[in-house]
Amino acid sequence: MATPSSNSVSENMTTPPSAPLYGGNVPPMSMSGNLCVNWKKWYQSFKLFMRASRLDIEDDSRKVAMCLHFMGDKGLEIFNSFQKDEEKVTYKELILLFEDYFVPKQNLTYESFKFFTCKQTETETLEEFACKLQNHSQNCQFGELQDRLVKIMFICNLHSKYAFLQEKLLPKDDLKMDETLKLAITIIQSRIQASTLQVSHNIEISHKVEIIHKIVKIIQIVILLRKNVQDVDNFIVSDALP
């Protein structure tokens, strides 16, 4: 019985075409609580899923279908309220529609006002104040100036108890905000260490002075005792004389 040649075997074998990597899932978007935050988290997860599954290279109609499918029933209801045809809307347009719906419009003047009037309170740490400024700056659309403006406001609006920091930080024009914060923390730590050493030194000196005072007091007592003994001896001698 003739066996098929290796060439005929290879001709009969077919290699399946490469397929996108599927797997995982994206839970429906939560429609309770802060919808702005929920949307941003959900959309980030959806984008990661699309990229990992190699679905981000698909045509718009499939990406639109995937997005509406994974958002869930509530998401589909919101889309229907836009009065758009899912067969005609582009993926980019769909995302912008949801952005406009879930993310409230920001008043840049008001957001900038909050940023430029933000000051450190007496109980706030340097890290907490820096974080508060960073958060406020996110809503101001400062662009490339953001880091520089945060640094300026950090130095200018420190609490009065940190006035000595301003003198140290103002000349450091070449530092970025994170470097400025690290330098400020280092200066504070050095100041605390120096203060601790000074207190320790003062305690040591005080202890030595106290010891000296005790020694002097003992010497005075010894001198007084000797004087009293001598007076007694003199009295006895004088009393014995005829």
Side-chain angles (χ1 to χ4, degrees):
M1 182 176 179
T3 58
S5 64
S6 59
N7 288 338
S8 62
V9 171
S10 61
E11 289 174 0
N12 292 330
M13 294 177 63
T14 58
T15 303
S18 59
L21 172 66
Y22 295 101
N25 205 341
V26 181
M29 176 182 159
S30 174
M31 295 297 173
S32 61
N34 190 323
L35 294 183
C36 177
V37 174
N38 294 350
W39 159 252
K40 289 180 178 180
K41 288 182 178 179
W42 183 88
Y43 182 47
Q44 182 181 24
S45 297
F46 178 70
K47 286 192 298 182
L48 291 173
F49 167 77
M50 295 288 282
R51 191 180 308 156
S53 302
R54 298 207 295 268
L55 291 168
D56 56 338
I57 61 175
E58 295 290 335
D59 56 39
D60 268 18
S61 62
R62 189 172 188 192
K63 288 192 288 186
V64 166
M66 294 287 289
C67 180
L68 293 176
H69 167 73
F70 281 117
M71 279 196 76
D73 294 340
K74 291 291 185 181
L76 188 58
E77 288 178 13
I78 293 172
F79 170 75
N80 290 334
S81 71
F82 301 148
Q83 297 182 347
K84 296 285 185 178
D85 187 348
E86 68 268 17
E87 299 292 337
K88 297 180 180 179
V89 69
T90 65
Y91 179 68
K92 182 177 180 180
E93 184 182 2
L94 177 68
I95 298 303
L96 288 176
L97 286 170
F98 281 125
E99 283 281 342
D100 289 339
Y101 183 87
F102 291 118
V103 182
K105 295 296 182 183
Q106 294 174 336
N107 184 329
L108 291 181
T109 301
Y110 175 65
E111 296 296 337
S112 298
F113 171 80
K114 288 198 297 183
F115 172 76
F116 286 112
T117 56
C118 179
K119 296 183 178 182
Q120 184 188 24
T121 64
E122 186 174 2
T123 58
E124 271 183 329
T125 65
L126 296 178
E127 295 93 331
E128 289 170 343
F129 179 49
C131 181
K132 185 168 68 173
L133 284 172
Q134 291 282 10
N135 290 338
H136 282 319
S137 69
Q138 298 294 332
N139 301 323
C140 298
Q141 298 183 13
F142 288 142
E144 295 180 356
L145 291 175
Q146 180 175 335
D147 187 79
R148 183 171 182 82
L149 287 173
V150 170
K151 172 191 170 181
I152 292 173
M153 295 307 298
F154 175 77
I155 297 174
C156 293
N157 285 351
L158 286 169
H159 190 269
S160 57
K161 67 180 180 181
Y162 291 126
F164 67 93
L165 269 181
Q166 294 173 322
E167 299 176 3
K168 301 287 187 181
L169 298 177
L170 281 172
K172 306 296 182 180
D173 188 53
D174 57 330
L175 296 182
K176 295 184 179 298
M177 177 55 207
D178 58 339
E179 296 170 328
T180 300
L181 178 60
K182 289 179 182 177
L183 177 59
I185 294 173
T186 300
I187 294 172
I188 293 293
Q189 291 173 341
S190 299
R191 191 180 181 92
I192 292 173
Q193 291 171 355
S195 176
T196 302
L197 290 174
Q198 183 62 42
V199 169
S200 177
H201 180 65
N202 291 341
I203 292 175
E204 185 178 353
I205 292 177
S206 176
H207 182 63
K208 289 180 179 179
V209 169
E210 186 179 355
I211 292 175
I212 292 172
H213 284 167
K214 288 182 178 180
I215 293 173
V216 170
K217 192 171 183 179
I218 292 172
I219 293 173
Q220 289 174 340
I221 293 173
V222 170
I223 292 173
L224 183 60
L225 288 173
R226 283 184 176 180
K227 184 176 182 304
N228 290 338
V229 169
Q230 188 173 2
D231 289 344
V232 171
D233 288 344
N234 292 337
F235 174 78
I236 294 173
V237 170
S238 62
D239 188 58
L241 292 174

